[in-house]
Amino acid sequence: MTNRGTTRRGVFGALAGAAAATALPAEAQASERDFAAATDRKPGKRPNILFILADDLGWADLSSYGSPEISTPNLDRLAKGGVRFTQAYSAGAVCSPTRIALYTGRYPGRIPGGLPEPIAAANETDGLPEGHPTLASLLKERGYATALLGKWHNGFLPYFSPLRVGWDEFFGNYSGGLDYYSKYAHTGQYDLYEGETPVEDPRYYTDVIAERAEAFVRREHDGPWLLNLNFTSPHWPWEAPGDRAVSEEITAKVRAGNPSALFHNDGGSLDTFRKMVENLDARIGQVLTALRQTGQEEDTLVVFASDNGGERWSHLWPLTGAKASLNEGGIRVPTIVRWPARIRSGQVSHVPVVTHDWTATLLEIAGAAPDPDYPLDGASFAGYLLSGAVAPSRDIFWRTKASRALRRGKWKYLHDNTSGADLLYDVEADPREQANLAAKNPALVAELRARWEEINAPQVQYS
């Protein structure tokens, strides 16, 4: 991919180019510089890695990405301290596939567990199998302490667990969503665990996870560490801090045999969603403060992203589509990278990057080699971030049961499996995906379709 997009001056025009899609106030854009690697900063010790994953956070749900109502000062400061990506993507359109891609560095469809959209029930197939190399296991081999706090969603007990694929410790939930107070999941079961043992904690879940993360950061560490910090916020149910009455109503329905009550289709509001995101921001700030106060900020590489696009209450302008869709609104996500020791502050990057690229990048930076029997599908951006190399050029591939997509440079091929329609968009000029250019470029559509088929062929197929 080329580092294409608008300059700071170009942002003030209409929707033209990738940066325009951020819809930021002019003063915020004016403070950002186009990304350039700090080639004068020499390698030091291997960094700690803090990977923060929000859940169903939409493209413009942060104030640093253009939210008109939500204030996120801590994540805004994180962005000002590093690089804000305007064309970052999730590997999947829903939770589980993206997480499998992050943990393995490979397309979700490389394993059967990557096919459910998302993983919804306990069985021997749907999950990340024991023995499969992961970001955690590969870093652990290089001396990293590893922890996963929060949402796992890569398979249920008794078949799957983070502890069986490289993480030294786990505290959190196995399911895709749970009540923020009662900890009952959409499965109808209680779902808060210390490792593989159920534990009680009736407090607001986002706060509990942040407290655990802060304790991990403040702990004495003998060497570098990896912390996967996976919040469930702002995933349904729509409960902000203090909404115990809402929790009690939902939990009563779940316990009475209606687990779908957790989807909360009859609740929520823009104000509740705002409170959930602002609380998430505050709790992330709590963890980042611990990094600073313990003297680890300089040598900790922080990545913040969302597992897919937003839904219902999310602000996605100017993108179309939402969670579960392969339109931009379903897969383009806010993404921030900060590493003070090696990356300059106040920068913005318009290069396309996808979830499993971060796996490859982090492994290279940490000096960990991928398992040769499980070659990575992600491309490492270490050279781009640290030494001034050109960003990797390759096609970005997605698939769901309902649709398929491929991005090459500015072009995005999108196919609806139901209608059979082939669509083609210039997502740099048209991030809203309104001008279908397929009829004007039939040869390109055929080429991108063939490339999609080529990438798809060796993967596990949907039944």
Side-chain angles (χ1 to χ4, degrees), residues 34-58:
D34 286 342
F35 177 78
T39 56
D40 57 323
R41 299 187 182 182
K42 302 305 178 184
K45 62 182 182 180
R46 292 180 298 160
N48 303 317
I49 298 170
L50 171 59
F51 202 111
I52 307 172
L53 202 59
D55 198 355
D56 293 1
L57 185 76

Side-chain angles (χ1 to χ4, degrees), residues 438-457:
K440 293 182 177 180
N441 300 274
L444 178 58
V445 170
E447 183 179 343
L448 297 181
R449 184 194 307 118
R451 177 58 177 153
W452 188 95
E453 295 284 3
E454 180 184 10
I455 296 173
N456 180 65

Side-chain angles (χ1 to χ4, degrees), residues 123-394:
N123 58 59
E124 298 181 30
T125 303
D126 296 344
L128 181 50
E130 186 171 353
H132 195 297
T134 63
L135 175 65
S137 68
L138 295 170
L139 290 182
K140 187 174 179 178
E141 291 175 1
R142 296 289 296 146
Y144 274 72
T146 59
L148 192 153
L149 303 177
K151 177 173 172 175
W152 164 240
H153 208 187
N154 267 187
F156 290 90
L157 293 172
Y159 309 105
F160 304 98
S161 166
L163 300 183
R164 305 178 193 182
V165 285
W167 280 272
D168 297 321
E169 54 190 276
F170 168 66
F171 176 88
N173 61 298
Y174 282 85
S175 67
L178 75 169
D179 185 273
Y180 284 82
Y181 282 105
S182 72
K183 313 304 185 298
Y184 270 77
H186 69 278
T187 59
Q189 305 297 313
Y190 185 82
D191 190 21
L192 180 62
Y193 286 79
E194 181 87 59
E196 299 180 4
T197 303
V199 292
E200 295 283 340
D201 196 320
R203 297 174 296 160
Y204 190 73
Y205 191 39
T206 309
D207 297 349
V208 172
I209 295 303
E211 181 181 281
R212 286 285 185 137
E214 179 184 2
F216 178 89
V217 168
R218 292 188 181 279
R219 188 187 308 170
E220 288 291 331
H221 294 279
D222 296 329
W225 47 261
L226 164 71
L227 173 57
N228 287 98
L229 178 52
N230 297 351
F231 290 100
T232 59
S233 187
H235 192 285
W236 46 254
W238 315 110
E239 296 171 5
D243 287 343
R244 290 185 178 273
V246 177
S247 169
E248 290 169 2
E249 178 184 353
I250 291 173
T251 302
K253 293 177 181 178
V254 172
R255 287 173 171 163
N258 179 21
S260 63
L262 205 69
F263 301 155
H264 209 183
N265 292 321
D266 59 350
S269 68
L270 285 170
D271 190 54
T272 297
F273 186 79
R274 175 188 62 79
K275 292 175 181 177
M276 294 174 74
V277 176
E278 290 184 352
N279 177 71
L280 171 67
D281 178 78
R283 299 288 72 80
I284 290 172
Q286 176 182 341
V287 179
L288 297 178
T289 295
L291 273 181
R292 184 177 66 254
Q293 291 179 344
T294 56
Q296 298 178 89
E297 182 178 75
E298 187 78 5
D299 293 309
T300 299
L301 197 170
V302 180
V303 182
F304 170 84
S306 180
D307 63 348
N308 48 250
E311 63 162 314
R312 291 193 65 184
W313 309 108
S314 280
H315 182 60
L316 297 169
W317 179 261
L319 310 180
T320 54
K323 177 182 177 180
S325 163
L326 292 184
N327 288 97
E328 293 290 283
I331 52 177
R332 195 187 290 206
V333 293
T335 300
I336 299 165
V337 174
R338 188 190 73 181
W339 183 11
R342 298 296 306 277
I343 297 174
R344 295 190 187 98
S345 62
Q347 300 191 89
V348 61
S349 174
H350 308 307
V351 301
V353 60
V354 68
T355 303
H356 36 290
D357 292 337
W358 296 119
T359 315
T361 302
L362 297 175
L363 289 174
E364 181 175 348
I365 287 173
D371 189 313
D373 293 331
Y374 298 85
L376 303 180
D377 293 311
S380 174
F381 278 66
Y384 170 74
L385 290 171
L386 305 179
S387 61
V390 175
S393 176
R394 76 276 186 255

Side-chain angles (χ1 to χ4, degrees), residues 15 20-24 58-61 65-68 314-321 329 332 431-432 434:
L15 293 176
T22 58
L24 281 182
W59 160 250
D61 283 334
Y65 277 81
S67 173
S314 280
H315 182 60
L316 297 169
W317 179 261
L319 310 180
T320 54
R332 195 187 290 206
R432 193 161 172 75
Q434 295 298 297

